[in-house]
């Protein structure tokens, strides 16, 4: 799970002018609204409502309504925005001002070289999770990488499994990709993504290892599991705590509940020379997982900080 380190803030009370503009219909007036004026107004409005990325949010929402990529918005700053477009935009801005993630409003999120559908049934895939995919794909390129399937444990939207499946397809590498989650609604989203992207991922529902046949082993086990300490969830940004599924965040009292269960069985679920790659929070949490893995028969794990991200990666290889 990613970006759970975002600091908690209060939603700012909007100044009366902005508030009335958005709520009493003043937003759609006979005034002339150019793209530039609307961008500036909305950026200030979303900033006041606590968005940490108000300019980007504005451009993504405006681009959605005007059907223009961001660059085109910037090239057309003097273009007039029509009344119907303003009304449609207003509805999206109100949702964002209530701190709904932009990805849920748009119903999609870019991840790796894919675009995945997302809604409130799944965590929004984070950019830092792309480092996990990079680590897996690098490992699978090694000539010594063992034969066998790739598992994405706790798949959510399916983003990790789908990105890996797409890269394997491009390399013409024959290797099954499986993905599991305990949440049936999340798996509906993941299955839909696989169908839309026509990528061959097999899905199974269940509580961690229980989703899989008892004797099944993998060349790679990748996971971005829930790892936030239970009490910390209430302090996260409203975008996360009020909108994203707590099942995707909650790692129990010390954040290690799911990591303990992953560690307990990882060694016997990997083929010789296989890789376990787990995304988690702080380097300290990473060190805790390495200790758990060592105690459970998978020594030699390494903690790697993720560049420009609040997360870490733990990589551990099964002995050959
Ligand atoms: C942090 S999200 C990660 C989603 C996705 N892999 C990503 O990186 O965007 C964790 C996922 O773990 C799932 N999950 C939580 N507890 C689980 C369990 N006991 N067994 C399997 N999946 C679980 C949640 O439903 C959620 O989809």
């Amino acid at each position: 799970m990613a970006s759970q380190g975002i600091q908690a803030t209060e939603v700012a009370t909007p100044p009366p002018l902005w508030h009335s503009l958005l709520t009493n219909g003043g937003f759609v007036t006979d005034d002339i609204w150019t793209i530039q004026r609307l961008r500036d107004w909305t950026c200030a409005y979303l900033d006041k409502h606590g968005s940490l990325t108000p300019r980007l949010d504005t451009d993504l929402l405006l681009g959605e309504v005007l059907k223009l990529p961001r660059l085109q918005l910037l090239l057309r700053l003097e273009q007039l925005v029509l009344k119907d477009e303003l009304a449609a935009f207003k509805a999206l801005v109100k949702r964002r001002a209530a701190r709904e993630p932009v990805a849920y409003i748009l119903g999609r999120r870019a991840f790796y070289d894919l675009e995945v559908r997302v809604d409130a049934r799944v965590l929004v895939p984070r950019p830092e999770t792309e480092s996990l995919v990079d680590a897996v794909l690098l490992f699978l390129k090694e000539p010594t990488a063992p034969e066998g399937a790739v598992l994405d444990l706790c798949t959510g939207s399916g983003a990790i499994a789908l990105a890996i499946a797409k890269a394997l397809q491009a390399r013409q590498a024959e290797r099954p990709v499986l993905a599991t989650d305990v949440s049936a609604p999340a798996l509906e989203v993941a299955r839909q993504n696989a169908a839309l992207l026509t990528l061959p991922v097999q899905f199974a529902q269940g509580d961690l290892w229980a989703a899989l046949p008892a004797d099944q082993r993998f060349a790679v086990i990748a996971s971005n599991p829930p790892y936030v300490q239970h009490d910390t969830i209430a302090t996260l940004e409203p975008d996360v705590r009020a909108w994203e599924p707590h099942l995707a965040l909650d790692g129990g009292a010390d954040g290690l509940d799911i990591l303990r269960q992953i560690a307990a069985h990882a060694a016997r679920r990997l083929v010789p020379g296989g890789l376990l790659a787990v995304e988690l929070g702080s380097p300290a949490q990473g060190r805790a997982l390495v200790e758990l893995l060592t105690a459970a028969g998978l020594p030699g794990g390494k903690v790697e900080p993720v560049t420009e991200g609040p997360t870490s990666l733990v990589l551990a290889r099964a002995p050959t």
Side-chain angles (χ1 to χ4, degrees):
M1 158 59 214
S3 291
Q4 293 142 350
I6 299 169
Q7 289 167 3
T9 57
E10 289 303 313
V11 176
T13 308
L17 173 64
W18 287 335
H19 187 65
S20 64
L21 275 172
L22 196 68
T23 54
N24 72 4
F27 198 86
V28 185
T29 66
D30 292 335
D31 277 359
I32 292 171
W33 287 91
T34 61
I35 287 179
Q36 173 150 20
R37 184 175 169 216
L38 199 54
R39 279 180 88 230
D40 291 346
W41 186 92
T42 308
C43 183
Y45 186 81
L46 292 180
D47 186 38
K48 293 287 175 192
H49 278 75
S51 167
L52 298 177
T53 52
R55 180 67 71 188
L56 178 62
D57 296 356
T58 299
D59 286 352
L60 290 171
L61 299 179
L62 192 53
E64 177 76 359
V65 169
L66 300 183
K67 298 185 175 38
L68 290 175
R70 195 173 194 194
L71 179 62
Q72 282 299 320
L73 288 180
L74 300 178
L75 293 172
R76 300 179 190 208
L77 291 173
E78 297 311 315
Q79 178 176 312
L80 293 182
V81 181
L82 306 176
K83 190 173 175 179
D84 286 355
E85 294 167 337
L86 274 174
F89 182 57
K90 171 185 169 181
L92 303 190
V93 171
K94 282 177 95 166
R95 288 172 67 181
R96 183 62 192 128
R99 303 299 291 269
E100 184 174 354
V102 172
Y104 289 166
I105 299 172
L106 300 180
R108 60 180 191 273
R109 173 73 172 213
F111 180 79
Y112 219 74
D113 54 356
L114 303 171
E115 189 168 84
V116 292
R117 300 285 173 99
V118 290
D119 58 34
R121 289 173 289 179
V122 294
L123 185 97
V124 177
R126 307 298 207 266
E128 48 269 32
T129 303
E130 297 185 4
S131 298
L132 177 65
V133 175
D134 279 337
V136 169
L137 293 178
L138 202 64
F139 172 78
L140 290 175
K141 254 193 184 158
E142 291 177 12
T144 54
E147 295 290 311
V150 175
L151 171 65
D152 173 12
L153 199 61
C154 303
T155 195
S157 63
I160 294 170
L162 293 164
I164 293 170
K166 185 172 178 188
L168 292 177
Q169 200 174 58
R171 291 178 193 175
Q172 298 183 325
E174 297 279 328
R175 199 184 273 278
V177 180
L178 282 77
T180 69
D181 204 289
V182 76
S183 158
L187 278 179
E188 282 171 15
V189 176
R191 284 196 172 98
Q192 187 195 19
N193 276 319
L196 288 168
L197 295 164
T198 58
L199 287 167
V201 174
Q202 299 162 40
F203 295 97
Q205 189 197 347
D207 182 1
L208 292 171
W209 307 109
L212 301 158
D215 57 351
Q216 194 169 11
R217 288 171 177 258
F218 300 91
V220 172
I221 299 168
S223 186
N224 176 19
Y227 55 74
V228 182
Q229 289 181 12
H230 179 80
D231 289 349
T232 304
I233 292 176
T235 70
L236 298 176
E237 285 285 323
D239 314 42
V240 179
R241 75 171 138 80
W243 290 95
E244 298 199 85
H246 285 201
L247 183 61
L249 305 170
D250 197 341
D254 64 358
L256 297 174
D257 279 6
I258 302 284
L259 294 168
R260 273 190 199 91
Q261 295 180 60
I262 291 176
H265 298 277
R268 71 171 180 82
R269 287 294 189 164
L270 286 171
V271 301
L275 175 75
L276 173 72
V278 179
E279 178 179 330
L280 35 61
S282 63
Q285 198 175 44
R287 288 190 292 276
L289 177 60
V290 168
E291 275 181 28
L292 290 166
L293 289 170
T294 304
L298 194 60
K302 290 197 168 55
V303 185
E304 294 189 0
V306 171
T307 321
E308 292 173 25
T311 59
S312 311
L313 278 184
V314 166
L315 303 175
R317 291 189 187 208
T320 47

